[in-house]
Amino acid sequence: EAGAFLGSSGYMGDINPVKPLKYTDLAFGAQIKRNFDGYWSAKLAFMQGKLQGNDAKSSNLYQTQRNLSFYSPISEFSLQVEFNLFKYLAGADIYGYGSRRVSPYLFLGVGSFSFNPLTEYNGSEIELIAVQTEAVAYKNNGISVPYGAGLKYNIKGNLNLIGEIGYRTAFTDYLDDISGIYPDFTVMSPRSPISEQLSDRSVIPKIGIPGNQRGDFRPRDTYMFAGISLTYTFVSSKCPTF
């Protein structure tokens, strides 16, 4: 089975800690899938989207005072296992008697992703990973755990329409370039003025005192995708199973 995905991407982390349905940007992708029977499938997928967050738009007083923001492209390759709650048709009734044209499903997998947090500062776009706003060097890629649920519908014959919402637990806390505490740039050599300025962008009164909380201390950020896929099932010549 092969197809394309179109939907939206979003992020949860230090700037958006409590809104799991905050999807903000366009996302797209592609997938190939092996259906083992009417219940189990393995899927290899590619997803591309954008993540963003802005303290200035928060209703939380601390966040508006902190005044940090970021946006980042996100790309992911993942391998997922799907389980259909009902015996799914998947095209041409290849799984025999009792198959259904509609089935909800669950999925779980492992993914590899890349990102690059950016921000606007004095009219320029700055790569935050190079600035080290918390005096921490981190990678622009990592491992994630995709999980979620969806609904499959066999339109006709080999065509399937699939709606899905999925979350990815990222094994990094720096999707948004925010994690721990404000560093003390006065004891670092060489001292970088742009690093200090982007580390503490709080409005007066300043809150970026070295050692003060900058992030929420949760160990991992989350990104997510939601949307629809249109897929085509390539039916094998094997006899159906009853």
Side-chain angles (χ1 to χ4, degrees), residues 124-182:
S124 299
E125 183 178 77
I126 306 295
E127 289 190 356
L128 292 168
I129 196 169
V131 173
Q132 296 188 16
T133 55
E134 294 185 2
V136 174
Y138 59 89
K139 297 180 180 180
N140 67 344
N141 55 74
I143 301 299
S144 63
V145 177
Y147 58 93
L151 184 69
K152 300 178 180 180
Y153 171 63
N154 179 256
I155 301 172
K156 185 179 180 181
N158 294 16
L159 285 177
N160 306 282
L161 185 65
I162 303 170
E164 180 177 287
I165 181 170
Y167 294 84
R168 275 75 170 163
T169 298
F171 284 80
T172 180
D173 194 28
Y174 281 101
L175 289 181
D176 47 23
D177 191 63
I178 308 168
S179 181
I181 62 175
Y182 288 96

Side-chain angles (χ1 to χ4, degrees), residues 99-122:
S99 297
R100 302 192 185 189
R101 294 182 65 184
V102 179
S103 178
Y105 69 95
L106 305 174
F107 71 89
L108 178 68
V110 61
S112 174
F113 69 94
S114 62
F115 67 107
N116 184 27
L118 309 163
T119 194
E120 294 286 338
Y121 183 68
N122 290 338

Side-chain angles (χ1 to χ4, degrees), residues 7-11 22-27 49-51 74 224-226:
S8 186
S9 56
Y11 135 91
K22 191 173 183 179
Y23 291 85
T24 57
D25 292 274
L26 180 69
K50 179 182 176 182
L51 315 178
I74 186 84
M224 55 264 199
F225 296 104

Side-chain angles (χ1 to χ4, degrees), residues 35 78 92 95 124 133 151 156 214 239:
N35 298 308
S78 66
Y95 300 122
S124 299
T133 55
L151 184 69
K156 185 179 180 181
R214 188 170 186 263
C239 294

Side-chain angles (χ1 to χ4, degrees), residues 11-232:
Y11 135 91
M12 288 188 67
D14 301 83
I15 294 181
N16 174 34
V18 295
K19 296 180 179 178
L21 297 178
K22 191 173 183 179
Y23 291 85
T24 57
D25 292 274
L26 180 69
F28 60 90
Q31 61 183 262
I32 55 173
K33 185 186 303 182
R34 175 68 168 91
N35 298 308
F36 299 107
D37 54 32
Y39 293 100
W40 292 97
S41 303
K43 180 174 71 177
L44 184 64
F46 168 77
M47 304 287 273
Q48 175 72 51
K50 179 182 176 182
L51 315 178
Q52 61 173 297
N54 191 338
D55 276 342
K57 297 180 180 180
S58 174
S59 59
N60 180 280
L61 182 60
Y62 169 76
Q63 285 187 239
T64 54
Q65 180 72 14
R66 184 177 60 179
N67 195 37
L68 296 174
S69 64
F70 87 104
Y71 53 94
S72 173
I74 186 84
S75 300
E76 176 197 79
F77 282 100
S78 66
L79 178 63
Q80 303 169 18
V81 175
E82 295 180 353
F83 175 71
N84 302 321
L85 274 63
F86 305 137
K87 189 177 183 182
Y88 183 61
L89 184 64
D93 201 14
I94 58 175
Y95 300 122
Y97 180 77
S99 297
R100 302 192 185 189
R101 294 182 65 184
V102 179
S103 178
Y105 69 95
L106 305 174
F107 71 89
L108 178 68
V110 61
S112 174
F113 69 94
S114 62
F115 67 107
N116 184 27
L118 309 163
T119 194
E120 294 286 338
Y121 183 68
N122 290 338
S124 299
E125 183 178 77
I126 306 295
E127 289 190 356
L128 292 168
I129 196 169
V131 173
Q132 296 188 16
T133 55
E134 294 185 2
V136 174
Y138 59 89
K139 297 180 180 180
N140 67 344
N141 55 74
I143 301 299
S144 63
V145 177
Y147 58 93
L151 184 69
K152 300 178 180 180
Y153 171 63
N154 179 256
I155 301 172
K156 185 179 180 181
N158 294 16
L159 285 177
N160 306 282
L161 185 65
I162 303 170
E164 180 177 287
I165 181 170
Y167 294 84
R168 275 75 170 163
T169 298
F171 284 80
T172 180
D173 194 28
Y174 281 101
L175 289 181
D176 47 23
D177 191 63
I178 308 168
S179 181
I181 62 175
Y182 288 96
D184 187 354
F185 286 99
T186 63
V187 299
M188 297 177 184
S189 181
R191 182 178 177 181
S192 173
I194 188 67
S195 297
E196 186 172 6
Q197 292 161 14
L198 289 176
S199 177
D200 179 16
R201 302 182 70 175
S202 59
V203 296
I204 297 175
K206 290 288 188 177
I207 62 173
I209 300 171
N212 276 8
Q213 177 180 338
R214 188 170 186 263
D216 60 11
F217 293 110
R218 296 177 185 177
R220 298 179 183 90
D221 290 330
T222 298
Y223 62 97
M224 55 264 199
F225 296 104
I228 59 174
S229 298
L230 184 65
T231 69
Y232 182 86

